[in-house]
Amino acid sequence: MKAEILKLLKATPDFVSGQQLCEGLGVSRTAVWKAIRQLEEEGYVIEAVRNKGYRLTSSPDVLTAPELKSVLTSRWLGGELTCLYETDSTNNQARRLAEEGAPEGTMVVADCQTAGKGRRGRNWASPHGAGIWMSFVLRPALAPVQASMLTLVAGMAVVSGIRQAVGLESMIKWPNDAVVRGKKICGILTEMSTEEDSIRHVVVGIGINVNTKDFPEELAPTATSLSLELGRPLKRAPVIAAVAEQFETYYGRFLEKGDMTEFMEEYNRMLANRDREVCVLDPAGTYRGTALGIDREGSLLVKKEDGSLASVISGEVSVRGIYGYV
Amino acid sequence: MKAEILKLLKATPDFVSGQQLCEGLGVSRTAVWKAIRQLEEEGYVIEAVRNKGYRLTSSPDVLTAPELKSVLTSRWLGGELTCLYETDSTNNQARRLAEEGAPEGTMVVADCQTAGKGRRGRNWASPHGAGIWMSFVLRPALAPVQASMLTLVAGMAVVSGIRQAVGLESMIKWPNDAVVRGKKICGILTEMSTEEDSIRHVVVGIGINVNTKDFPEELAPTATSLSLELGRPLKRAPVIAAVAEQFETYYGRFLEKGDMTEFMEEYNRMLANRDREVCVLDPAGTYRGTALGIDREGSLLVKKEDGSLASVISGEVSVRGIYGYV
């Protein structure tokens, strides 16, 4: 009920009468009053004026289920929603829920990860309040080999969602990151469980640095946050809602063909590596070239210095920019 | 300790003195006596003669940890061993253990599965005492796309293990089954968990019909068991030990190249479908042809009626024999 009250209060810049709330939700005045009191305890500032009703004047930056449900605009993503104050990693938690049968669209959000994961087993710093640490459970009717493209789909959703929510332009660093001015603002980690040649579930994890002020010395040159870029603190819930809405749309379009055919142009416009000189750290031998963009399977096409084309498969190699951080 | 006592007793056709057992295991006579009593309670028949010692005259067909440990000859497979009287499915149990960090080589064996799984979500009947229902946890340093070949590797191990343990010739029905005279005697189900482009774990599940006497009417024409084929009841533990030993060898060889190059000839000799007319149920259109054998990626090469070659990827299609059951 708190989610519905928040939704109504957020939808109305003016006062909402107690009677409207009671009738809208089909509950008693006492129930509404109790829920308002609880919301105030959680940090919401709600003006209450006799004969006028309630008005929300300020929301805290909390990632509770009522707060998220009051802002989510996705149709099915987040239909099952788990909000945790702290967890080891939202991917781990989402995987545990998926193993127990959690449906497609289950969303796990945590205020803090004690063992946040990056790519290749790296640690991902995820302190309280500093960012968005969330994971989606998906059950696409795809072959396992197609699932790696979901990382690219999530990348587009992050770039579009950040633009929609806070107006900041970010770009994709193929395959797993989003960057602003060459500095990492988001990482994506996709896990999968298969049975023979069918997917049991996929977990897409998204970490976005939102209010991080200070990065450890070794990360400072290559990492940034939304608030550092915009010069003001930000609320995380609206960013989550925008990324979720965008993901739902991109994912739906992706499932139609199961490859990146429809997205190549759009993805390549978002691609920070595009037309840049890159160094491909292939286990078989490092080489330089120019990144041209992705192909329909999501591989990165690189024009080598000898003019030949290489198709770089995610995971096989690392791609490093030569100029700047991208 | 029961496993060590069993091992010593099994290694000696004659009597083993109590003193030998005590010294061999570094325990007291009372401890040996107690263990012998427990073994007798579990169904072992152990002759005890004053001044001579103990002699094992008969073993029950039980799948307990002491029994399996006393017969396993694999070096690392089964190093961690979970024996269950009943479980939902050994693949599920192995997956749960893998999620908790179980190491490569963890083996799960159950006397009965209440929810045994076949391919494509089908049920696999797994009653008490009737068969081998077991799963291995593997953590190979392979790309996810290579893991589907582990089903083929397991198929070779099953055919070789059955031959080694009971002298029966079976063949592989590509990709997931072993058959005798065209009737299914074994099914293999491989599951995987990945993180980006690396494998977290693979679970290979193997179900072998050993002492099944009666199959349900709908399965009777297409299923058989080792004991139906050989005309006598069989002990399951030695078959498990032989399949595990064979799997360990084939798996080690497979990891060297990560594909089927080294196995193509051997695999194709075991292949029931080879040179047979098959019907390929491709979602894009059913067609007939002759199965030639696997290629180095483990796909089945089929020569179509028009003379062209098709490479059939596991999971994409079903392959049905036209004559007989294979």
Side-chain angles (χ1 to χ4, degrees), chain B residues 119-120 122 173-177 271-274 276-282 286-292 299-302 311-322 325-326:
Chain B
R119 229 181 149 201
R120 298 171 197 272
R122 292 191 196 109
K173 179 165 177 286
W174 183 91
N176 287 66
D177 298 326
L271 187 60
N273 319 72
R274 196 183 193 187
R276 297 288 185 102
E277 276 204 57
V278 292
C279 181
V280 180
L281 307 177
D282 194 313
T286 298
Y287 59 87
R288 287 185 174 206
T290 308
L292 302 181
S299 301
L300 186 68
L301 293 174
V302 173
S311 171
V312 181
I313 298 169
S314 150
E316 270 189 353
V317 295
S318 292
V319 176
R320 286 202 189 145
I322 294 173
Y325 297 112
V326 174

Side-chain angles (χ1 to χ4, degrees), chain B residues 63-86:
Chain B
L63 298 182
T64 60
E67 173 61 25
L68 278 178
K69 283 182 179 162
S70 78
V71 297
L72 278 174
T73 48
S74 41
R75 282 170 300 116
W76 53 266
L77 188 53
E80 291 287 328
L81 179 63
T82 298
C83 293
L84 300 161
Y85 182 65
E86 197 168 286

Side-chain angles (χ1 to χ4, degrees), chain A residues 91-92 95 99 117-121 144-145 148 151 175-176 188-197 200 313-316, chain B residues 91-92 95 99 117-121 144-145 148 151 175-176 188-197 200 313-316:
Chain A
N91 264 29
N92 286 354
R95 199 174 65 236
E99 290 290 348
K117 296 188 291 184
R119 229 181 147 199
R120 295 168 198 279
V145 72
S148 64
T151 299
N176 288 67
I188 297 160
L189 188 70
T190 300
E191 304 185 34
M192 174 173 61
S193 169
T194 66
E195 191 172 300
E196 289 300 333
D197 295 276
R200 297 174 67 248
I313 298 168
S314 151
E316 267 190 354
Chain B
N91 264 28
N92 286 354
R95 199 174 65 234
E99 289 289 349
K117 295 188 292 184
R119 229 181 149 201
R120 298 171 197 272
V145 71
S148 64
T151 298
N176 287 66
I188 297 161
L189 188 71
T190 300
E191 303 186 34
M192 173 172 61
S193 168
T194 67
E195 190 173 299
E196 290 299 335
D197 296 275
R200 297 173 68 246
I313 298 169
S314 150
E316 270 189 353

Side-chain angles (χ1 to χ4, degrees), chain B residues 13-90:
Chain B
D14 204 357
F15 284 89
V16 180
S17 76
Q19 198 176 340
Q20 270 177 287
L21 287 173
C22 297
E23 286 172 2
L25 306 174
V27 295
S28 71
R29 279 201 176 234
T30 318
V32 166
W33 181 82
K34 276 188 183 165
I36 295 275
R37 283 293 302 271
Q38 284 173 17
L39 288 170
E40 288 175 330
E41 281 168 16
E42 289 165 16
Y44 295 89
V45 181
I46 298 166
E47 200 179 347
V49 174
R50 190 179 293 266
N51 293 328
K52 280 185 160 179
Y54 302 101
R55 187 172 66 168
L56 181 65
T57 56
S58 146
S59 295
D61 179 31
V62 291
L63 298 182
T64 60
E67 173 61 25
L68 278 178
K69 283 182 179 162
S70 78
V71 297
L72 278 174
T73 48
S74 41
R75 282 170 300 116
W76 53 266
L77 188 53
E80 291 287 328
L81 179 63
T82 298
C83 293
L84 300 161
Y85 182 65
E86 197 168 286
T87 190
D88 52 348
S89 113
T90 58

